[in-house]
Amino acid sequence: MNSEKLILSIITTTDPVTQKLPFLLESLSCLAQSRSEHYEVIIVDDLEQWKSKKHVEFTFPSLSVKPIQPKKKQGQLKAILTGLQEAKAPLVLTIDPDLYPCVPEIPNMMKMINENIFAVHAVRSSRPGTSFFRLAGSVAINMLVRKITGLKVHDIGSPITLFDRKVFSILPLHPSSKNSNPRLQYYLRLNSKLTSYKLRQCSTSNGLSHYNLLQLIKTSYKLLESAMSLRKS
């Protein structure tokens, strides 16, 4: 175990499509070393990439890497919740592997956490390689979610959020109903204790996605359904 104090827990998932997980781990390791800090990385195998492997191990300086292999496919949202339950550091970050270029900006987000701010939502400045139709659909869904919930957050689909760990002792780690999106629920409950940070970097451009058109439509529908459910509650 590294002698430095554990500062940050990072929750991410496996990445068999874009294969950027090693780049994310390398970037986190470089950041931790440059700041003389120690980070915990929890990787949840949401897509069963390691299903046939009995043991998975990663070794990176200044990182404690913990792979988690659920018994069945969870999907990204449930995978992140599984990871959050394992986090031990005072600050907890969720991030997708393909957003590894944003890692140098994590300290900027960490500085924003204080007695008045418990969570920081990262807004992507650009999304290279994303089609016009997908971007237009994303903008429309974001506008509808803001209209329905009253949230001021932009780019609700961004997977990067930094939490003060005490959030999870105040708010439940499980949604209040089967239709609830836990992150939306957190954001609404946090209210003024949530702020946004606009990323300067962006994901890599490779035109690949874990989702096909049908899956994107289903994801958008579930997000709007969750927004309506939370509004009613």
Side-chain angles (χ1 to χ4, degrees):
M1 178 72 176
N2 200 301
S3 61
E4 287 102 345
K5 182 180 178 182
L6 182 62
I7 298 294
L8 178 68
S9 292
I10 297 99
I11 316 298
T12 192
T13 56
T14 47
D15 187 32
V17 176
T18 62
Q19 299 183 6
K20 299 301 181 184
L21 182 57
F23 294 90
L24 175 63
L25 295 173
E26 180 65 33
S27 297
L28 289 168
S29 176
C30 290
L31 177 65
Q33 290 179 82
S34 69
R35 294 170 60 85
S36 299
E37 295 176 343
H38 186 74
Y39 301 157
E40 168 189 56
V41 184
I42 300 169
I43 309 167
V44 186
D45 186 14
D46 61 320
L47 296 175
E48 296 185 327
Q49 181 180 359
W50 300 326
K51 186 176 181 179
S52 61
K53 298 180 181 180
K54 292 183 178 180
H55 183 67
V56 180
E57 185 174 354
F58 296 92
T59 303
F60 286 85
S62 297
L63 298 185
S64 294
V65 184
K66 182 179 182 180
I68 296 178
Q69 296 174 272
K71 293 181 180 179
K72 60 180 181 179
K73 275 189 179 182
Q74 292 188 312
Q76 190 178 50
L77 190 57
K78 288 184 179 179
I80 293 300
L81 286 175
T82 297
L84 290 175
Q85 294 176 59
E86 299 290 331
K88 296 180 177 63
L91 295 176
V92 183
L93 181 85
T94 63
I95 187 172
D96 280 358
D98 67 332
L99 283 159
Y100 73 89
C102 306
V103 165
E105 297 186 65
I106 292 174
N108 296 338
M109 297 176 66
M110 293 168 70
K111 290 176 184 177
M112 299 172 75
I113 299 289
N114 54 47
E115 65 274 9
N116 297 313
I117 298 297
F118 291 177
V120 181
H121 173 81
V123 177
R124 293 167 291 188
S125 57
S126 62
R127 297 169 62 184
T130 304
S131 70
F132 169 80
F133 294 104
R134 185 174 174 184
L135 286 174
S138 179
V139 170
I141 294 298
N142 270 271
M143 289 177 63
L144 284 171
V145 169
R146 290 198 300 273
K147 183 73 173 178
I148 293 168
T149 63
L151 275 175
K152 306 301 182 185
V153 172
H154 289 261
D155 190 18
I156 196 65
S158 169
I160 303 182
T161 308
L162 179 68
F163 293 99
D164 187 318
R165 190 167 176 268
K166 63 188 172 195
V167 167
F168 308 121
S169 63
I170 300 170
L171 303 179
L173 263 173
H174 298 283
S176 57
S177 74
K178 66 177 182 179
N179 292 329
S180 292
N181 179 303
R183 193 164 66 148
L184 272 184
Q185 191 171 336
Y186 288 148
Y187 283 10
L188 286 169
R189 293 279 298 276
L190 286 167
N191 197 4
S192 62
K193 294 188 180 296
L194 169 72
T195 192
S196 294
Y197 171 82
K198 188 170 183 180
L199 295 165
R200 298 183 181 88
Q201 300 297 322
C202 56
S203 61
T204 53
S205 176
N206 51 28
L208 299 174
S209 174
H210 294 295
Y211 302 100
N212 57 37
L213 179 59
L214 180 59
Q215 289 171 321
L216 288 170
I217 291 172
K218 286 181 177 179
T219 300
S220 299
Y221 175 79
K222 287 181 179 179
L223 181 60
L224 292 175
E225 185 180 37
S226 178
M228 291 296 296
S229 175
L230 290 170
R231 176 175 176 171
K232 290 177 182 177
S233 63

